[in-house]
């Protein structure tokens, strides 16, 4: 039994929203001699602060009514406002894409066949023999949708440790603990059977003694009893037990303990929400904020308990019992509120937390009563007691009104609407960076905010900070507050549409609370790193299971839109034909039920490198590489260094898995990984590692969102998805190359946190046609992102406008390549006439950034032909 590794205290520990999806020259250059790739040193666990690919494949997901492929039946969240009304007829985007994108396939599992008749070797008493619950042919790939919560970078593993643990490629899983499961998981109303030695759960891959009901653990091979539950006269009857028939099952204990009780929508309990509002805004920002707040209140379920706090130099706590009159109690903002003042507030006559159905009129009155900042001071010089306001919000949740929701369905939530930094009272920093004591005060503020976030987490409260406007909010100070509580920090241009959508989605994205994830591996595998929204957990499992070597992660929140990136290595050369991974996820769901979700994965171990490479999912592998890379890129200088490691990865993967060209010392990148180089090229030049973003605050916030994000959003943030509008409202998916900028077309580019709509000059000149195309593109953009959090900006502009540079900078400059390379990687060019191609070529402006093909040639690597 392998020893439990000792992890450092901090570590990185990011589920799916919407539907997402789609390298060069063969000229030999000089000798390829890449140095051995050495991954940068780093902790196994590191906090995040210390989308499908551009390839075009056929999707296996079902089409929704509007022709867009969907991957999860997540409950519909609030959608952005509809497209603008045009005088010309609008053609909706209601026809399937001509070319559908590749959908990342989850770890595939075999559909369960009849139990094997052949006994497992080594365990037989002559009468009762172990029966394998699944086929042992090594192919567990048929039931692709059984466990979408786990996506593996490869469906097989290599038996040779030296090749399997190549750090430039790596192996791992993206785990989405709170993601809703297609068609719902198999639900079991009893406690699970667990291995008495290591704590693993009984599952479909266990061997069973039919006569005694004993089962053998796939993790440690220990023999366990089942209290007679697995005793069966025939092997087929065991398939009636869900945990022995499905790779993903939920064991559920409901609060009322009634046998057969299944919670329904009416029993869902909404956790309280307290809005903390910056009242030091100028009039234009305030008007947008008021509109967003009014829409937010109207979107809430009537039973949701709501509280309202505003802050400036003082903190106002609004009384929701005053009918339609805005009335508030005031607290000073320069010091934390005393216990006596909080007690007076809690036990006074005011009602500070009230259900929406009882407080909707007064809430609208409160929002309408907010007034713009009157003094003639710059935004950054205004006093904002944000820290005290959040302390008061936590007290409101814990007060007498909050006592009625001691066990809410999910975490309570504080949503801060901020237009500037915290510059007054506890946790504040000076107005100016030139203050002589600024570094020390910043360090003190960061520590205070982190402690406040941890206190909120202890109280089961998540703090989301939604910032907007042009005033820098000092992200390094606010980020620890959001992170430690399990919340997010999001920047917006203004308090308008995207802010309003995120306000609504922030309040509804929770899937539960009190989350713990345990990862167990076969003895021949080990977890080397976990990245995502959590921290290492201390469990008492060793008291019950003497050899529990699981990696335990305390989830700071349980949400559908987050996931954990788990990196895994082999300890030595594999001798067995299969290895196993098991994820045990414990949390309380929104219906006050305690859930134990068990996901078990079996992987075939192979000797063939080609078989292993064939099983690699390029997109999952690229996201795992990107998350490991971004973890190191804490600032712009780090990002420059990480870009160089991306180059080295390409060289090293080619050296380890590629093939040498005939009569040449050059190597061909492995054809089985044909999409990986372009994905990594997008990573190194895009907003995550490139120089597209100008301010370090933007880069920091984007990085933290990415490290915690679900697979779909992560992939889109790495590589944009490009869709060209066609006649009749259809869309054709094309590679994200600048050759898509054809003057008679409209294009949608989905880059995760931004969606761009580009109208060619010829199309824009036709008023009616361009209005219809713009509306169709807008509808498509909203369809693609309706489940996404944070909701992206949706920006539209015409060819040649100054804003169009944001669109152009996200596209690969393929116009620099020779015509034969352009056609090989962008086949749509062949449909253009000679005149159209000449016109397209003349529209490009030359600059120094290399194309994908030029970049690959600079690395002395030959890319595989596009798939």
């Amino acid at each position: 039994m392998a020893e439990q590794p000792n992890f450092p205290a901090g570590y990185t520990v990011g589920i799916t929203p919407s539907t997402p999806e789609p390298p060069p020259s063969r000229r030999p250059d000089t000798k390829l001699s890449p140095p051995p790739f050495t991954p940068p040193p780093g902790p196994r666990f590191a906090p995040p602060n210390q989308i499908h690919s551009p390839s075009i494949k056929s999707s296996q997901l079902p089409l929704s009514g509007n022709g867009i492929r969907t991957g999860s039946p997540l409950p519909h969240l609030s959608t952005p406002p509809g497209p603008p009304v045009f005088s010309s007829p609008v053609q909706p985007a209601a026809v399937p894409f001509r070319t559908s994108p590749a959908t990342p396939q989850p770890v595939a599992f075999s559909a369960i066949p009849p139990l094997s008749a052949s006994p497992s070797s080594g365990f037989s008493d002559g009468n009762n023999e172990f029966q394998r619950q699944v086929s042992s042919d090594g192919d567990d790939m048929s039931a692709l949708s059984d466990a979408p919560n786990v996506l593996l970078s490869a469906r097989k593993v290599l038996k040779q440790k030296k090749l399997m643990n190549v750090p430039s490629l790596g192996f791992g899983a993206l785990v989405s603990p709170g993601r809703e499961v297609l068609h719902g998981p198999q639900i079991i109303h009893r406690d699970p059977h667990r291995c008495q030695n290591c704590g693993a759960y009984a599952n479909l891959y266990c061997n069973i003694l039919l006569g005694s009901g004993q089962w053998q653990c796939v993790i440690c091979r220990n023999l366990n009893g089942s209290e007679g539950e697995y005793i069966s006269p025939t092997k087929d009857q065991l398939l009636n037990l869900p945990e022995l028939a499905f790779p993903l099952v939920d064991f559920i204990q409901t609060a009322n303990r009634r046998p057969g009780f299944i919670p329904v929508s009416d029993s869902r309990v909404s956790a309280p929400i307290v809005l903390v509002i910056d009242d030091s805004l100028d009039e234009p920002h305030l008007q947008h904020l008021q509109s967003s707040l009014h829409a937010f209140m109207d979107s809430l379920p009537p039973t949701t308990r709501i509280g309202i706090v505003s802050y400036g130099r003082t903190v106002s706590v609004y009384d929701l019992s005053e009918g339609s009159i805005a009335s508030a109690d005031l607290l000073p903002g320069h010091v934390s509120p005393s216990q006596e003042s909080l007690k007076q507030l809690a036990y006074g006559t005011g009602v500070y937390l009230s259900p929406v159905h009882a407080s909707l009129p007064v809430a609208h009155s409160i929002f309408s009563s907010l007034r713009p900042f009157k003094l003639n001071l710059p935004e950054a010089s205004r006093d904002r007691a944000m820290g005290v306001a959040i302390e008061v919000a936590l007290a409101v949740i814990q007060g007498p009104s909050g006592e009625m929701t001691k066990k809410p369905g999910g975490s309570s939530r504080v949503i801060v609407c901020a237009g500037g930094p915290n510059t007054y009272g506890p946790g504040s920093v000076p107005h100016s960076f030139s203050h002589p004591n600024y570094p020390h005060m910043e360090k003190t503020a960061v520590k205070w905010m982190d402690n406040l976030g941890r206190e909120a987490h202890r109280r089961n409260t998540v703090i989301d900070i939604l910032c907007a406007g042009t005033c820098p909010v000092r992200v390094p100070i606010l980020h620890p507050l959001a992170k430690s509580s399990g919340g997010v920090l999001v920047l917006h241009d203004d308090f308008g549409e995207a802010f309003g959508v995120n306000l609504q989605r922030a309040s509804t994205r929770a899937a539960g609370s009190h989350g713990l994830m345990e990862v167990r591996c076969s003895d021949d595998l080990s977890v080397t790193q976990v990245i995502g929204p959590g921290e290492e957990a201390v469990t008492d499992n060793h008291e019950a299971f003497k050899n529990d070597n699981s990696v335990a992660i305390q989830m700071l929140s349980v949400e559908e839109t987050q996931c954990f990136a788990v990196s895994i290595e082999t300890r030595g050369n594999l001798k067995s034909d299969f290895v196993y991974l098991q994820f045990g996820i414990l949390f309380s769901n929104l219906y006050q039920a305690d859930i134990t979700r068990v996901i078990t994965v079996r992987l075939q171990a192979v000797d063939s490198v080609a078989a292993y490479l064939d099983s690699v999912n390029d997109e999952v592998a690229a996201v795992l590489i990107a998350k490991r890379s971004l973890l190191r890129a804490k600032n712009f200088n780090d990002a420059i260094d990480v870009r160089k490691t991306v180059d080295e990865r390409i060289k090293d993967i080619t050296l380890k898995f590629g093939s040498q060209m005939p009569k040449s010392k050059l190597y061909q990148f492995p054809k089985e990984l044909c999409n990986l180089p372009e994905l990594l090229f997008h990573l190194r030049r895009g907003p995550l590692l490139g120089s597209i973003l100008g301010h370090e605050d933007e880069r920091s916030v984007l990085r933290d969102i990415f490290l915690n994000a679900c697979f779909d959003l992560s992939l889109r943030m790495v590589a944009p998805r490009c869709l060209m509008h066609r006649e009749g409202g259809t869309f054709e998916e094309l590679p994200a190359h600048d050759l898509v900028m054809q003057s008679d077309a409209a294009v949608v580019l989905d880059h995760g946190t931004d969606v761009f709509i580009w109208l060619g000059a010829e199309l824009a000149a036709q008023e009616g046609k361009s209005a219809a195309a713009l509306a169709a593109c807008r509808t498509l953009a909203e369809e693609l992102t309706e489940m996404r959090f944070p909701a992206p900006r949706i920006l539209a502009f015409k060819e040649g406008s100054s804003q169009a540079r944001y669109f152009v900078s996200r596209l690969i400059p393929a116009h620099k390549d020779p015509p034969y390379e352009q056609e090989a990687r962008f086949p749509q060019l062949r449909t253009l006439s000679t005149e159209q191609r000449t016109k397209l070529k003349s529209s490009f402006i030359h600059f120094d950034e290399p194309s994908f093909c030029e970049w690959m040639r600079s690395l002395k690597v030959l890319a595989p032909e596009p798939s």
Side-chain angles (χ1 to χ4, degrees), residues 124-141:
S124 175
D125 59 5
N127 297 311
N128 303 306
E129 297 177 336
F130 278 110
Q131 300 295 333
R132 173 66 63 186
Q133 302 305 303
V134 294
S135 63
S136 55
D137 61 0
D139 188 6
D140 288 344
M141 304 302 131

Side-chain angles (χ1 to χ4, degrees), residues 169-393:
L169 181 58
F171 171 73
L174 296 172
V175 186
S176 300
R179 176 178 177 176
E180 257 192 46
V181 182
L182 190 64
H183 307 310
Q186 296 298 316
I187 295 175
I188 306 170
H189 287 275
R190 60 168 168 77
D191 291 331
H193 292 294
R194 303 188 66 175
C195 176
Q196 297 305 304
N197 181 53
C198 71
Y201 299 84
N203 58 81
L204 76 166
Y205 301 111
C206 293
N207 289 320
I208 309 289
L209 273 173
L210 297 179
S212 65
Q214 291 177 295
W215 59 279
Q216 186 185 35
C217 176
V218 298
I219 301 297
C220 70
R221 316 304 296 171
N222 187 58
L223 193 61
N224 302 276
S226 65
E227 299 178 355
E229 192 161 4
Y230 294 165
I231 295 176
S232 174
T234 66
K235 54 195 176 186
D236 293 330
Q237 289 188 11
L238 286 177
L239 295 181
N240 295 324
L241 297 171
E243 72 267 33
L244 301 183
F246 297 94
L248 186 154
V249 291
D250 280 0
F251 296 90
I252 183 169
Q253 293 290 340
T254 57
N256 58 20
R257 306 291 179 181
R258 290 185 307 194
F261 172 79
I262 299 177
V264 294
S265 59
D266 289 343
S267 66
R268 173 171 171 153
V269 179
S270 297
I273 299 170
V274 176
L275 292 171
V276 178
I277 303 168
D278 184 349
D279 64 7
S280 300
L281 303 177
D282 291 330
E283 187 164 2
H285 286 316
L286 180 60
Q287 288 177 352
H288 281 131
L289 175 59
Q290 287 173 321
S291 297
S292 295
L293 291 172
H294 286 304
F296 170 71
M297 281 299 299
D298 290 336
S299 73
L300 291 175
T303 56
T304 301
R305 295 182 175 274
I306 189 77
I308 302 173
V309 175
S310 67
Y311 66 93
R313 191 176 177 85
T314 59
V315 175
S316 302
V317 190
Y318 287 90
D319 185 354
L320 302 177
S321 66
E322 295 294 331
S324 59
I325 301 173
S327 173
D329 293 325
L330 298 182
L331 293 171
H334 67 286
V335 293
S336 295
S338 65
Q339 289 300 315
E340 184 62 29
S341 62
L342 292 179
K343 185 176 179 180
Q344 291 176 359
L345 190 69
Y347 292 95
T349 58
V351 175
Y352 306 108
L353 200 62
S354 174
V356 169
H357 67 79
S359 55
L360 191 59
V362 67
H364 284 305
S365 297
I366 292 168
F367 299 149
S368 298
S369 70
L370 297 174
R371 293 292 179 264
F373 190 78
K374 296 297 184 184
L375 300 179
N376 187 24
L377 288 174
E379 287 184 297
S381 299
R382 300 169 188 175
D383 290 335
R384 291 180 171 91
M386 183 194 298
V388 175
I390 295 172
E391 287 183 299
V392 172

